[in-house]
Amino acid sequence: MQNTQDSPVTPSRAPSMEQLPANCNILLLNIGKMVKDSDSYIREHPLLCSGCSATCSKLNQINDSKTWTCVFCAAENPLSNDNIFKIREEGDELYSGDPLLENEYSFGNQSMIIFCIDISGSMSVTTELSQDQSNDYNIVYKSRMEAVKSALDQTLDILHKQHCEKRVALVTFSDQVKLYGDGLKEPLVLQDTELLDPDHLKSQGEDQPLPRPLSETLHALKEKIHCLEESGATALGPAALVSIAIASKSPGSKVIICTDGRANTDLGNLEDISEEYAYQSSKLYYSNLGDLALQHSVVVSVVTIEGTNCRLPELGQLADKTGGKVNIVHPLKLADEFQSILEEDIIATNVKLKVFLPLTMYFLYEGDQQSVLEKSFGSVTSDTVLSTEFNIYSSKIKEVLRFSQLPIQLHLTYTLPDGRSRWRILSLRRPVTNDCSTALESIDLSVLQIHSVQFSARLAMEGYVSEARNVALELKALIDMVMRHEKYEAPDVVYEDWENSMAPIYEDLQEYMKEDSSGKTEQDSHREVPVVKTFSDEMATMIFHMKRAKNKVLSKLGN
C-alpha cells in the first residue's frame, strides 16, 4: 500500500538545487485502504511520547534500554523493563482502541437513511416528457414533486429488495417541517416559532424513535410519499437540522436532502443574503450543521434539481464536511442519484487521523504552521482519500540536509461496523534530496495529478481563490516537467483527462477573480469569502466534485 508520495522530501530553497516549479512534498493517504487493511495482530497499548503523543517505534533511538528519544519532538521518555518488548521493528502496527467508544459508535444494522424532501410550492413546476419517458402518451408533463415521489418509490423498492433490514425515515419541509419517521405513526409537525429555535429542533429530532426495518415499514412509507403535496415556503434550514439530529443517534447514517430552491425561512436563510452579516450568519449555520453531522459520523448528501438556484456554495458544506455528494440532477434522474448515494458503503465511523512530522517541517494551508496535522472524517468509504502538502522551514534546510531520511508517523483511529475500535499506526521514513533529477525520477505522476485536483479545489472552496489557481498552475508546470523527463512513459490520454478536469481552476476561477477585483479597494484586496459568494451552483458543484476526485490513483494506492 502506498501512503505517501514516493518522491524524496525536497527543501524548496535548498542550496545548489535547480528550482522545481512546485512543492512536491505531498502526503496522499488512502484512508479507506488503511481501514480495510487492518487484519494484522492486535496489540493492547502503544508507548506514547510524553511530549507530543507520537508512539515509540522502529523510528526511535533507544538509550541504554532506559529511555527512548522521540524523533518528532525530541522529548526523552522513560523505558521500563516491562515495556521494552513492546518496541517492534514493524512499521505498521494495530492496537485495540478505546473500549468506551465501542457501544457508542457501533453502527451495523442500526444506521439510518433519512430522506429530507422539499415539498414547497416551487416543486409544482413541470418538466416535459418525451414519448419514451411516458407510459401514457396523453401525459406530456411531470412536476418536480411527481418526479421526487417516483424516485423515492423506486429507491424504496430497491432497498427493500437488497437491504430490507435498513431503517428509513422521511422528513419533509415547506413552511412546516413534518417528521414522518418510518411512516407507522402520524407525523410530528413543527411550525411557526418552533422553526426559529435550533435547540428545540435538535431535541425534537433526537427524541424521534429509531425507525423499524424497511421490511416492516415499506408500505407505510410509500403511502405517506404518495400523499405528499407541494405548497408553501422552503424551511430547508430547520429540516436539515432535524434530519441530522435524527440520524445522530446512529453513527454511519445517511441524510439525503433533495430541494429545488433556496432556503427562505429565517433559520439558515439563503435567499436574503445581500447584506454581508446575513450571508455570514447563514454560511456559519450550515458550517455548524456540517460539524454536528461530522461529530456523529453522519453523511449528508445534497441533491438539487436542474434549472434551479439553491446556493450550493453554502448548502454544499454539509456534504463536503461529511463525505457526502453534491449534485445537480434532472428531475427524471433522481432515482439514479439516490441509488448512487446509497451504494457507497460506510466501512468505519468516528475516523480520526493524526500525522507527525519533525519540528523542522510544517503542513501548508492547515491553519497555523504546525508539524502535527489532525483531521476528523466521521464516516469513511473504501474510496476516502486525503491529500495535503508539507514543507521545511527555510531556517532548518541545512539541518534537514544532514539526514538521508526523515520520519513520518500516521495514527488512524476508527470504529468498525461491529463496534470494535481500532488504532492503526504507520511509521515511515522518506529520503531527502536536494537534487532535482533525483526528485523528478521518483515522482509518481498519478499522485501528483490527484493532489493537484483535490488540493486546489479545497483552497478554492475555502476562499483562497488566488492561491488555488497559483498552486494549480505551479503543479501543472511540475507535471509538465515530469512528463518531459527522459524516464517517464505514459499515454497522452491520462494527461488530457487530468488537464480537462482542472479547467474550472485554470479558466473559470480566473473569471471569478476578475469579477471580485472590480471596484475593490486596496484595503479589502485580501478578502476571501466574497469570491465564493459569487460562485454559481454549477461552479460550486464542479469544485466539490474535484475535492472528491480519486480515480486513476486508487488502483496504484492499492498495490
Side-chain angles (χ1 to χ4, degrees):
M1 177 182 64
Q2 180 180 343
N3 290 295
T4 59
Q5 163 85 16
D6 277 339
S7 60
V9 176
T10 56
S12 58
R13 290 179 293 277
S16 69
M17 176 180 177
E18 180 185 346
Q19 187 72 44
L20 293 175
N23 178 29
C24 62
N25 295 325
I26 294 168
L27 187 70
L28 184 71
L29 301 177
N30 184 347
I31 304 299
K33 181 69 173 175
M34 291 173 69
V35 170
K36 290 172 68 177
D37 279 358
S38 56
D39 295 329
S40 55
Y41 175 73
I42 310 296
R43 300 182 173 90
E44 290 187 2
H45 304 290
L47 299 179
L48 298 180
C49 172
S50 59
C52 67
S53 297
T55 59
C56 186
S57 69
K58 67 176 185 178
L59 302 174
N60 298 99
Q61 176 183 344
I62 307 302
N63 307 315
D64 301 325
S65 298
K66 295 181 180 179
T67 62
W68 62 276
T69 304
C70 179
V71 294
F72 299 106
C73 71
E76 191 169 290
N77 300 275
L79 187 64
S80 68
N81 292 331
D82 294 335
N83 55 30
I84 289 178
F85 76 94
K86 293 184 179 180
I87 302 172
R88 310 282 179 174
E89 284 302 312
E90 298 94 331
D92 185 354
E93 298 176 293
L94 191 66
Y95 296 88
S96 56
D98 186 348
L100 296 178
L101 295 177
E102 298 201 346
N103 290 330
E104 181 180 354
Y105 283 95
S106 173
F107 53 107
N109 292 334
Q110 299 297 306
S111 63
M112 292 181 268
I113 299 167
I114 315 293
F115 287 101
C116 181
I117 304 299
D118 186 348
I119 60 167
S120 62
S122 58
M123 292 293 284
S124 63
V125 173
T126 58
T127 299
E128 186 175 356
L129 300 180
S130 61
Q131 287 191 351
D132 61 342
Q133 292 172 323
S134 173
N135 295 323
D136 185 345
Y137 292 115
N138 295 320
I139 299 178
V140 180
Y141 297 95
K142 192 172 191 176
S143 71
R144 292 170 181 167
M145 189 74 261
E146 290 171 324
V148 170
K149 289 160 72 170
S150 176
L152 289 172
D153 197 67
Q154 293 178 54
T155 303
L156 290 178
D157 281 338
I158 294 172
L159 274 174
H160 184 262
K161 183 178 180 179
Q162 298 178 351
H163 306 286
C164 64
E165 77 285 355
K166 285 289 186 183
R167 302 174 186 271
V168 180
L170 175 67
V171 174
T172 66
F173 59 94
S174 53
D175 47 10
Q176 302 175 330
V177 175
K178 289 188 178 182
L179 284 62
Y180 288 90
D182 57 19
L184 295 177
K185 297 180 179 180
E186 287 301 307
L188 171 65
V189 180
L190 304 175
Q191 57 190 336
D192 301 329
T193 57
E194 290 181 293
L195 302 182
L196 302 175
D197 186 346
D199 292 335
H200 174 71
L201 293 168
K202 184 170 180 285
S203 66
Q204 290 297 313
E206 291 171 342
D207 289 344
Q208 288 297 296
L210 185 71
R212 301 294 301 166
L214 191 56
S215 57
E216 302 175 26
T217 65
L218 176 66
H219 298 298
L221 278 170
K222 283 193 166 192
E223 183 178 341
K224 302 298 186 194
I225 291 166
H226 178 73
C227 295
L228 295 179
E229 294 182 357
E230 61 271 36
S231 67
T234 309
L236 191 159
L241 171 53
V242 169
S243 299
I244 291 169
I246 295 172
S248 68
K249 296 180 295 181
S250 299
S253 293
K254 294 184 178 183
V255 173
I256 300 177
I257 299 173
C258 181
T259 184
D260 75 335
R262 299 188 188 194
N264 58 16
T265 58
D266 288 344
L267 197 62
N269 190 307
L270 290 173
E271 191 166 79
D272 303 321
I273 54 173
S274 56
E275 296 294 334
E276 188 62 19
Y277 78 91
Y279 170 73
Q280 292 294 347
S281 175
S282 292
K283 186 172 185 288
L284 179 62
Y285 175 78
Y286 291 103
S287 177
N288 289 341
L289 277 191
D291 290 338
L292 176 65
L294 180 67
Q295 177 186 346
H296 294 282
S297 295
V298 173
V299 177
V300 183
S301 291
V302 179
V303 180
T304 67
I305 295 176
E306 272 184 14
T308 64
N309 180 359
C310 304
R311 290 304 309 168
L312 283 178
E314 295 75 41
L315 186 59
Q317 293 179 91
L318 295 173
D320 186 46
K321 287 194 171 192
T322 62
K325 289 186 174 182
V326 179
N327 254 336
I328 303 171
V329 181
H330 188 280
L332 303 181
K333 299 292 185 182
L334 285 169
D336 292 339
E337 184 62 22
F338 292 163
Q339 190 61 25
S340 174
I341 292 169
L342 296 177
E343 283 174 351
E344 289 197 335
D345 290 331
I346 292 171
I347 61 173
T349 60
N350 193 33
V351 182
K352 296 179 181 179
L353 173 73
K354 197 169 186 179
V355 184
F356 296 86
L357 298 175
L359 293 176
T360 53
M361 308 161 92
Y362 62 95
F363 287 96
L364 291 165
Y365 300 105
E366 299 289 354
D368 296 334
Q369 293 186 344
Q370 299 290 334
S371 61
V372 178
L373 172 67
E374 296 188 66
K375 289 281 187 183
S376 293
F377 294 88
S379 296
V380 300
T381 69
S382 58
D383 286 346
T384 302
V385 173
L386 171 71
S387 179
T388 191
E389 291 185 10
F390 59 94
N391 213 335
I392 301 169
Y393 289 106
S394 56
S395 61
K396 302 293 184 180
I397 289 176
K398 288 184 179 179
E399 178 181 340
V400 168
L401 289 173
R402 295 207 309 265
F403 299 91
S404 61
Q405 292 183 320
L406 288 176
I408 300 175
Q409 192 170 88
L410 316 173
H411 291 201
L412 189 73
T413 57
Y414 52 92
T415 302
L416 296 168
D418 59 7
R420 289 176 299 153
S421 182
R422 292 290 179 260
W423 183 358
R424 188 173 185 183
I425 300 172
L426 299 177
S427 302
L428 315 165
R429 289 190 181 275
R430 285 293 178 260
V432 181
T433 185
N434 64 346
D435 180 75
C436 183
S437 294
T438 301
L440 285 175
E441 289 176 7
S442 303
I443 287 177
D444 185 322
L445 187 65
S446 297
V447 172
L448 201 56
Q449 287 178 328
I450 203 71
H451 171 72
S452 69
V453 175
Q454 279 197 2
F455 197 61
S456 55
R458 178 195 135 192
L459 292 177
M461 225 45 238
E462 289 177 357
Y464 300 101
V465 176
S466 178
E467 290 88 341
R469 189 168 183 273
N470 291 339
V471 166
L473 291 172
E474 290 170 358
L475 287 167
K476 182 178 185 297
L478 179 58
I479 288 170
D480 291 339
M481 182 180 288
V482 173
M483 293 186 68
R484 291 196 305 269
H485 195 273
E486 60 182 3
K487 292 190 176 182
Y488 176 74
E489 294 181 7
D492 291 339
V493 67
V494 173
Y495 180 81
E496 291 173 4
D497 288 346
W498 165 79
E499 191 170 36
N500 290 336
S501 71
M502 290 296 292
I505 299 295
Y506 294 148
E507 301 168 9
D508 298 349
L509 276 187
Q510 181 67 17
E511 296 304 314
Y512 283 98
M513 291 166 63
K514 289 178 182 177
E515 292 177 14
D516 184 62
S517 62
S518 61
K520 188 184 288 187
T521 64
E522 182 177 353
Q523 183 178 4
D524 60 6
S525 61
H526 297 291
R527 290 180 304 155
E528 298 166 6
V529 175
V531 185
V532 177
K533 185 178 178 181
T534 65
F535 284 176
S536 66
D537 280 8
E538 289 74 18
M539 182 65 178
T541 301
M542 281 193 294
I543 295 178
F544 284 132
H545 286 182
M546 291 172 70
K547 289 187 69 175
R548 287 172 54 91
K550 44 194 157 315
N551 56 351
K552 296 188 179 73
V553 161
L554 287 181
S555 60
K556 292 200 173 189
L557 287 176
N559 290 339

